Amino acid sequence: QVQLVESGGGLVQPGGSLRLSCAASGFIFSNYAMSWVRQAPGKGLEWVSSISSGSLTRYADSVKGRFAIARDNAKNTLYLQMNNLKPEDTAVYSCARPTTNWSRPTNYDHRGQGTQVTVSS
């Protein structure tokens, strides 16, 4: 079965950096576009970034220029490098497999449990 397991979250000060990882299994990872999504307390699910099977990338305006998505198909792993973090980036971050329009998806058929990112001084 499909499994997506995130790691790398934590507490960081404003302006700091974190690198999230997502280990994928149960499907041919290299064949699929993948996304990062986040959910802040009391808010809905927000798309953050996507990467196509051919490694094209897209970002939400709120993170463009600060975050970078990448994939290592040999390791079946998705990454999100987050720089210049802001308090409004605080959320649970999950990797997800989009089902439609990979470049700005609204639906996902699988999503991991997530990892908490807290940006606070």
Side-chain angles (χ1 to χ4, degrees), residues 72-112:
D72 185 335
N73 290 335
K75 296 182 178 180
N76 289 346
T77 302
L78 180 72
Y79 302 100
L80 185 68
Q81 177 67 44
M82 306 186 295
N83 299 324
N84 191 21
L85 283 160
K86 303 176 181 181
E88 52 263 41
D89 294 318
T90 295
V92 175
Y93 285 72
S94 302
C95 60
R97 196 173 76 174
T99 55
T100 58
N101 188 18
W102 73 267
S103 61
R104 193 169 287 273
T106 56
N107 291 290
Y108 310 91
D109 60 358
H110 295 282
R111 181 158 62 103

Side-chain angles (χ1 to χ4, degrees), residues 16 28 33-34 39 50 61 63 92 105 109-110 113:
I28 302 174
M34 295 295 296
Q39 189 160 21
S50 290
D61 288 345
V63 306
V92 175
D109 60 358
H110 295 282
Q113 296 274 29

